[in-house]
Amino acid sequence: MAQPKEMKQDNNNGNVLDTTQVYQTNAIIKKVGRAIGIDLNECMLPGEARNKHMTILFRKSPQWSQDEIELVSKETDNWIKQKCGSAQAPVTFTIDNWGRKSVKILGDLNELCLHLRSKFNSMSGDDQRIPHVELFSNGGRGGGKGRGKNRNKDKHNGNKRGKRNSDKFSGKNCGGNSEKFKEKLGKMISRMQSLKSTKSEEILLLDEQEKQLQALFANSDNLDIKTLRNE
């Protein structure tokens, strides 16, 4: 019998979150104001906040250089490759209540964030908050006035990244960017297929090595020690 999903309600804002939902991201590094972060706009997260992201490192000054961003991006690829076998593999995570507008990030993405902070600790002398993402804006719970709420909604509908926060893949939610949405989904699928292909090749290689060892084991009684070592 299937277990019911664990739902948690944040007493501060009344939003109900599914803390068992597993999300995934391609972990694209980008500059967000005074921070370097990971873009989470394509993760189908709940909430109406725009420009969803997870901050890796915040720094009041100086501004982040392109070289620093590329350095963090390369280390991100290295970590993903070591963790998942391919730098193109998506990074998974779950969310849980934290704060009035934000949720904390758990799972592999949390681990990646903490690794990058440890690796590049010298880049920032500012205090860093726990890995999190802002999902809800000030008037996003329906408590604001109608005029302001509609204006925010119009801005939200006009932003190509904001359209990806629905829990369902539907043409209505994708709007005029459905082709771009499908294209990016296709790229994600291709990456998964590439990863599966790499794993399949590794499995075939292991199978072949196992067969050789089985044949050697079966004939070991007929071979002397020197021959076995050469084999």
Side-chain angles (χ1 to χ4, degrees), residues 79 83-84 90-94 106-113:
W79 186 91
K83 179 80 173 181
C84 307
V91 180
T92 59
F93 66 99
T94 58
L106 306 173
D108 288 347
L109 187 57
N110 175 284
E111 184 179 343
L112 170 59
C113 181

Side-chain angles (χ1 to χ4, degrees), residues 86 88 188-201:
S86 170
Q88 304 301 321
M188 292 177 65
I189 293 174
S190 296
R191 289 175 180 176
M192 292 297 294
Q193 291 175 341
S194 176
L195 179 60
K196 289 172 62 179
S197 177
T198 301
K199 294 298 183 182
S200 297
E201 293 176 0

